[in-house]
Amino acid sequence: MSNYKKILVAVDLSDESQIVAKKAQAIADGGSAQLDVIHVIEPLSFAYGVDIPMDFSGLQEEIQTQATQQLTRFAEQNGISATHQHVVLGRPEVEIHAMAEQIGADLIVVGSHGRYGLALLMGSTANGVLHGATCDVLAVRVGD
């Protein structure tokens, strides 16, 4: 039986997200916990730099629309209501921490590819979530 009451599941909407969601659902079912899901979209300016003199707003809006639709389908498949679905713009680890605080999560569940060495140092979202969280974090191994 789980002592967790509010669980935040962070997903990238890849096929592997189902593995993460199923693990979180098993924990939630064990203790009747509330399940929220978050997907974070990184602004295009993060990827391409802020000095590029291009307007990404139309493309960014389309990405947000597509992500919202995908998250809605994902959440419906996993029994997560619309009021517990969150699509936000920003740096994943920062936004996941902020949402966990906002909803009062006592567990964050995130996928991890089990990277090590240089790949881990160069930016694992799971690692970033783990090291800044104020609640428990479960990193579910996915992929390779």
Side-chain angles (χ1 to χ4, degrees):
M1 184 160 109
S2 168
N3 293 328
Y4 298 113
K5 299 299 176 209
K6 293 189 179 181
I7 301 171
L8 179 62
V9 185
V11 297
D12 62 4
L13 298 174
S14 68
D15 292 340
E16 296 164 337
S17 294
Q18 282 297 341
I19 297 167
V20 177
K22 294 301 178 199
K23 183 70 74 169
Q25 190 67 55
I27 295 168
D29 289 347
S32 301
Q34 172 187 306
L35 205 58
D36 280 65
V37 62
I38 185 171
H39 174 70
V40 182
I41 303 167
E42 289 193 74
L44 291 173
S45 60
F46 287 4
Y48 295 107
V50 292
D51 294 336
I52 295 177
M54 298 176 80
D55 181 12
F56 290 119
S57 60
L59 183 56
Q60 192 73 60
E61 287 175 19
E62 180 60 27
I63 290 170
Q64 181 123 10
T65 299
Q66 293 293 321
T68 300
Q69 291 170 354
Q70 282 183 284
L71 187 65
T72 298
R73 285 190 300 272
F74 177 85
E76 286 173 355
Q77 292 169 353
N78 290 284
I80 302 169
S81 70
T83 57
H84 297 286
Q85 300 170 27
H86 313 280
V87 175
V88 295
L89 188 66
R91 294 222 181 262
E93 54 277 353
V94 171
E95 298 304 327
I96 292 167
H97 292 151
M99 185 59 64
E101 291 286 330
Q102 181 180 328
I103 68 169
D106 46 12
L107 176 66
I108 299 169
V109 181
V110 63
S112 173
H113 288 90
R115 294 185 178 101
Y116 53 90
L118 188 58
L120 179 61
L121 293 174
M122 295 305 287
S124 161
T125 298
N127 191 46
V129 171
L130 175 65
H131 289 292
T134 57
C135 64
D136 291 349
V137 176
L138 172 62
V140 178
R141 187 171 300 266
V142 295
D144 305 326

